[in-house]
Amino acid sequence: MKILIIGGTGTISSAITRQLAESGHDLWLLNRGNRRNEVPANVRQIIADIDDEPTVLGALPSEPFDAVCEFIGFVPEQVERDIRLFRGRTRQYVYISSASAYNKPAASHIITEGTTLANPHWQYSRNKIACEELLMREWRETGFPVTIVRPSHTYCERAVPLSVHGLKGSWQVLRRMLDGKPVLVHGDGSSLWTLTWNEDFARGFIGLLGNPKALGEAFQIMSDEQLTWGQIYECVGNALHVTVKPYFVASAFLAAVAPKEWDFEGNLLGDKSLTVCFDCTKLKRAVPGFQATTRFDEGVRRCISHILSHPELQIEDPEFDEWCDRVIAMQEEAKRNFL
C-alpha cells in the first residue's frame, strides 16, 4: 500500500513507521524532520510544515494514497486543513483521536466505541471530540473516507508511563524511587488502568489500513491487561530493583494545588484517576488475530533499560521534586492537626 503518515516519529507512530517499512509498503512521512535520523532508509520524507498548504500540495505525489494517517491533528481547524489537502487524494483518512474523549465518568467502567463522548475536565479531549464530529459529518454528507482510532495510554522505550509527574516527564519520579524518597500516587492506587506497548498498538492500527470494514467507523486499540496504579508503580520499582514508597493523595487535591500548566485536572480528573476497562471486540472483529502480547512488567523493563543507558532522557525536574515534598509535608501536617 501507498501510505502517508503525518508525524511518524512520535511515541505511537514510530512503531507504525518501523513495521510498515519492514513490510515493504510505499511509506511517506510528512513532518518537520526533527527526528529524520530515526526514519528507516526506505521511507520517503516530505520535510515541511503541514500548515504551509501550498508547499505541501507541491510536494505530494500525483497518484492518490491508499491511506493518510493524521497523528498531530488536535483542533478542528487542522482537520479542516487536512480535508482540503486530501479530499480526492486518499482512499482512507485515519484520524488519531483519544480514549480520553469518553465521558468522565462514564455510565459503565467497561468502555466500548459506543460509550458517550464528553469530558468536562479536559479541553484537549473536547477538541478531539469536535474533530471526530467534523470528520463523521464529512463522511455522512460527502463520503470523505474517514476512520477514527482512539488510543489510550500507549508508551514506548523513551518514557515510563506514570500518573503524577511534571512537564519534563517521568525521570524525576524514577530519581525519587532510586533515592528512596516517597512518590506521589493519585487516590489510593486501587483504580484500574490500561497501558499499551506501542509495537502492539501498531499491529492493530496497521490491520485497519486499507480495511473496508474500517471506513466510517471508530476503533479503540489497547491491551487487554488491566492493572491498578499501585501495581503499575510496583512494576516500575521492580524494574529499577528498588522498593517503591507510594504516597497516596486525593486526585482532586493534586489537581487543586498543582501549577495550572501541568493540567492535572485534565490528566487526572479527566483521565487517569478513573477506573476504565476497554472492550476491543470491535477491533478484533475487523482485524482477526489481533492481540496485544506485551505485559506491562515486560514493557517497563525495556523502558527502564533504555532510559538508564541514554542520559539525554534523564531530564531533571527540580520544580516537580520540590512540589512533591511540599505536598507530602502539607498532608502530614494536616494529619498531625487531627491528633
Side-chain angles (χ1 to χ4, degrees):
M1 288 190 293
K2 184 178 180 180
I3 300 163
L4 173 69
I5 295 179
I6 303 170
T9 59
T11 296
I12 297 177
S13 59
S14 59
I16 296 168
T17 293
R18 288 193 300 270
Q19 291 183 24
L20 287 172
E22 290 169 1
S23 299
H25 291 282
D26 182 9
L27 181 60
W28 299 58
L29 301 189
L30 169 56
N31 56 44
R32 296 184 179 182
N34 294 330
R35 289 177 173 162
R36 69 179 72 188
N37 294 333
E38 300 177 16
V39 176
N42 62 332
V43 175
R44 308 190 201 199
Q45 297 188 70
I46 300 173
I47 308 300
D49 180 347
I50 192 170
D51 285 324
D52 184 354
E53 294 184 40
T55 297
V56 171
L57 279 173
L60 293 176
S62 57
E63 293 298 314
F65 291 98
D66 293 299
V68 170
C69 309
E70 172 60 273
F71 281 86
I72 53 174
F74 303 103
V75 295
E77 291 78 10
Q78 293 169 325
V79 169
E80 290 169 348
R81 173 207 62 207
D82 286 356
I83 293 170
R84 290 192 299 270
L85 283 170
F86 298 109
R87 189 187 301 278
R89 294 185 176 91
T90 185
R91 297 180 179 88
Q92 183 184 27
Y93 174 87
V94 186
Y95 178 69
I96 309 305
S97 183
S98 171
S100 70
Y102 291 120
N103 193 27
K104 300 296 186 296
S108 169
H109 70 285
I110 304 297
I111 305 297
T112 73
E113 288 83 355
T115 298
T116 301
L117 302 182
N119 191 327
H121 298 288
W122 209 356
Q123 185 61 48
Y124 164 82
S125 305
R126 293 195 293 273
N127 287 339
K128 287 289 189 180
I129 294 169
C131 291
E132 287 198 30
E133 290 173 344
L134 189 161
L135 286 164
M136 292 309 296
R137 186 167 60 250
E138 284 290 328
W139 160 254
R140 291 190 299 268
E141 296 178 359
T142 73
F144 188 72
V146 64
T147 296
I148 291 168
V149 173
R150 299 179 187 137
S152 184
H153 202 159
T154 307
Y155 68 106
C156 69
E157 71 280 359
R158 296 174 188 160
V160 173
L162 296 169
S163 64
V164 182
H165 58 78
L167 292 179
K168 296 182 179 179
S170 59
W171 170 252
Q172 197 65 48
V173 182
L174 304 185
R175 183 74 267 168
R176 290 179 70 89
M177 291 181 182
L178 290 167
D179 291 343
K181 299 178 71 174
V183 295
L184 298 181
V185 180
H186 68 275
D188 63 0
S190 65
S191 59
L192 291 172
W193 195 243
T194 299
L195 295 160
T196 307
W197 183 245
N198 68 341
E199 293 175 350
D200 288 336
F201 179 95
R203 289 194 296 274
F205 182 90
I206 291 170
L208 294 173
L209 300 183
N211 188 331
K213 295 180 180 178
L215 294 181
E217 298 289 342
F219 297 88
Q220 51 193 27
I221 305 176
M222 296 90 176
S223 170
D224 290 324
E225 179 186 41
Q226 287 97 37
L227 298 170
T228 68
W229 277 105
Q231 290 171 323
I232 289 168
Y233 275 75
E234 183 179 5
C235 286
V236 175
N238 290 341
L240 286 169
H241 305 291
V242 299
T243 299
V244 175
K245 299 176 181 178
Y247 190 89
F248 301 110
V249 182
S251 300
F253 183 79
L254 290 171
V257 301
K260 294 298 182 184
E261 60 269 23
W262 296 3
D263 198 9
F264 276 15
E265 180 180 356
N267 279 294
L268 286 181
L269 303 185
D271 201 25
K272 298 179 180 66
S273 67
L274 300 171
T275 285
V276 288
C277 299
F278 296 99
D279 181 347
C280 290
T281 300
K282 182 177 180 180
L283 174 72
K284 292 174 182 178
R285 285 199 302 263
V287 186
F290 169 75
Q291 184 70 45
T293 59
T294 306
R295 295 197 318 259
F296 179 66
D297 64 305
E298 299 168 347
V300 77
R301 282 198 298 269
R302 299 180 200 173
C303 283
I304 296 294
S305 176
H306 184 81
I307 291 169
L308 293 180
S309 63
H310 288 76
E312 71 277 10
L313 299 176
Q314 300 169 23
I315 302 173
E316 301 286 341
D317 192 346
E319 179 187 7
F320 173 76
D321 195 50
E322 187 270 339
W323 178 81
C324 289
D325 292 336
R326 286 176 56 206
V327 169
I328 292 169
M330 290 167 64
Q331 185 157 294
E332 290 301 305
E333 177 65 22
K335 290 179 184 177
R336 287 192 292 270
N337 288 338
F338 282 91
L339 294 178

